[in-house]
Amino acid sequence: MLLQSLVQQADSRQGDTPEYYLTRRVMWHIDLSSTGLGNAEPLVIDLRQEQRKITAPYTGRSGSKPAPILLADTAQFALAHPGLVKGPDGEKVLSTNSADVTKAKTRHAAYRALVTSWCNDHPHLPQAQAVATWLKSHAPTAWPLEMDKDHLVAISVDGEWVHDLPEARNWWAHEVKKAKSGKTGKANQGLCLVCGHVMPLLSTLPVPIKGIPNSGMNTQLVCLNQPAHFRAGTKQLGATPICVDCGTKSATALNTLLADPEHRAFADDSAIVWWTRDPYTDTAMWTLRDPQPEEVAQLVAGVRHPQRGRDALAVLDEDAFHALTLRVNTNRVIVADWITIPVPELKRRLGTWFADQQTWDGWNNTYTYWSVWRLALACARWDKRTKKYVDTTVPKHLQADLTKAALHGAAPPAHLLPVLLQRIRADRNLDRPRIALLRLALIRTTTRHKELCVPQLNPQSTEPGYVCGRIMAMLEAIQRKAMPKVNTTITDKYLSTAVVSPRAVLTRLRIGARPHLRTIARTSGPAAKAMDSRLRDAFDLLDTIPAHLNTEQQALFILGYDHQRAHSARAAAEAIKAREAGKELAAEEQADALPEASAEDADASDNTLW
């Protein structure tokens, strides 16, 4: 159960965040003195430029009469600020509207009553005496010009936040519990669905959820406030009994995770949080965001040893991994995905994820892996002018869906492969992230051609789409060999058509390759013969060139094209090393040593396909 896991997380990290406290951005700081100079003006400090965040009291509030918050509240509550409005010249000026002034005075009166009550309950506390003296002597009639009614104002005494005192924390927790539990009495007791004990029950969750993209001021994890939401005619938590402690801990734990960069990630309009039952366990979840070769190699190596993996999973692991994907709809939290798995199973799934998207860099003879956000970006539109992906064109929820596929060991969304192929045909941009995403989609959405879904070339394959892609790469290599300074290759011109209808394109390009081979033969006859022989061998793998390719075959075409180019890049690198060592190149090596296959060109093409 989600709430139970969050309560366990709160217990394991007890002390990180006090009850009914939340990380908030403070904009104005009122510093009082404890020397008893009640008539002295307090020091008002502008913190807007510092972007300072503090852990301050907070609770969910709504309606026409929202409750005040102890010692750290908006300027409207703390200082009776009526708010800023647009003046005649367009500049913001202080509101003189009677409704705004009356509302500010009413809310400030409630704030003064709350803080005064706390001061009266702690008469021997110097900080409480200082705050009480200030409230008695202070009648807010002027405010800094830059202050607005929604700016958070916090109070300190001699430079130390008053709300951080243990007396303030305990008093505030007691007040919120009393308010959120409803009327005292036997009817308020019940069996909590989370802890299973008979405890005082909440009418509403006291802590809103903060940190989810597009969330508002009072976003609730559980909210039943419309007749269509009622259960057996009971609104809010009446039909979902949750005790005060469990409701507070679960919401506080979730807010703590959302505020911790080590335990959350954002994907479009979603927030993904994760944690383990043991807070000190290294989950390696971060590899989805920033995969490091050494760490990924260990995960992939674990997948290569299935017996070892079975032995690890055969033992019941008491440490569990939890991941939660959240979105917001009209101030209600949407649980888009929720998973609980043992930590060894998490490592196995992550290892499989990276193995499925592994791509081979032929020039550098290394394997490459990509983060989830980089894979999602590869499905966006490529801007040829800026040579960048347009991040606003990434399919909606794709990053969150890829994360879900990685953690569940499942297939990516069904629309991924068609959309990716459409992007490749439209902008004709191929780079390693796109190849990785293509390979991942092929492996996890098809049960056939598993032998082709490997990082490197399979020269024995007779699958028509794969072979046609290899032929396209060979024809391009012949053109580049004959025309080293060509600006627009046959791939630039014909890839979009060849992927869908290879017969018409490849037949035409094979005829066009003959003069290129004659050009190559003028400088290196053995190289021309070797390239012609390779091309004939590839065509011989086909009974007939297919007239049209379906979606899966189109993906295999791109994969075959990539494998052949990566293979040629590896051979070109070896040929260059042999030439630099003073060795005489054989015919095959002369064919591979393309004029553009130099260190400079390799670096320049590193962002494309090599």
Side-chain angles (χ1 to χ4, degrees), residues 490-557:
I490 57 174
T491 301
D492 297 329
K493 289 183 177 181
Y494 301 110
L495 179 65
S496 300
T497 306
V499 168
V500 179
S501 305
R503 179 186 297 173
V505 176
L506 296 183
T507 302
R508 178 181 178 182
L509 293 180
R510 187 179 190 183
I511 297 173
R514 293 171 185 170
H516 291 323
L517 290 171
R518 289 195 293 269
T519 301
I520 298 171
R522 294 192 190 103
T523 57
S524 176
K529 290 182 179 179
M531 300 185 86
D532 187 35
S533 176
R534 291 176 186 173
L535 189 60
R536 286 199 310 271
D537 291 343
F539 272 105
D540 289 342
L541 293 173
L542 298 173
D543 294 332
T544 181
I545 304 176
H548 302 284
L549 299 178
N550 59 29
T551 300
E552 183 180 311
Q553 291 172 328
Q554 292 175 30
L556 291 172
F557 182 103

Side-chain angles (χ1 to χ4, degrees), residues 56-79:
Y58 195 78
T59 184
R61 58 186 183 185
S62 60
S64 59
K65 296 181 179 180
I69 296 175
L70 181 68
L71 297 168
D73 209 335
T74 64
Q76 187 182 52
F77 279 88
L79 300 173

Side-chain angles (χ1 to χ4, degrees), residues 197-248:
H197 298 119
V198 176
M199 301 282 287
L201 300 179
L202 289 168
S203 57
T204 60
L205 288 179
V207 181
I209 305 302
K210 299 291 183 179
I212 305 175
N214 304 323
S215 61
M217 292 294 295
N218 195 31
T219 303
Q220 291 292 330
L221 186 60
V222 181
C223 182
L224 306 174
N225 60 357
Q226 297 294 330
H229 306 153
F230 295 171
R231 298 178 182 176
T234 305
K235 64 180 181 178
Q236 294 296 4
L237 300 182
T240 310
I242 301 173
C243 71
V244 175
D245 288 341
C246 290
T248 303

Side-chain angles (χ1 to χ4, degrees), residues 359 370 374 377-378 382 389 420 424 428-437 562 605-610:
T359 55
W370 304 96
R374 188 64 183 82
L377 185 63
W382 174 261
Y389 287 106
L420 180 59
I424 293 174
R428 296 183 297 280
N429 178 67
L430 279 174
D431 53 17
R432 287 197 297 273
R434 275 192 169 178
I435 295 299
L437 191 59
D562 165 66
S605 62
D606 187 62
N607 290 327
T608 55
L609 193 61
W610 296 114

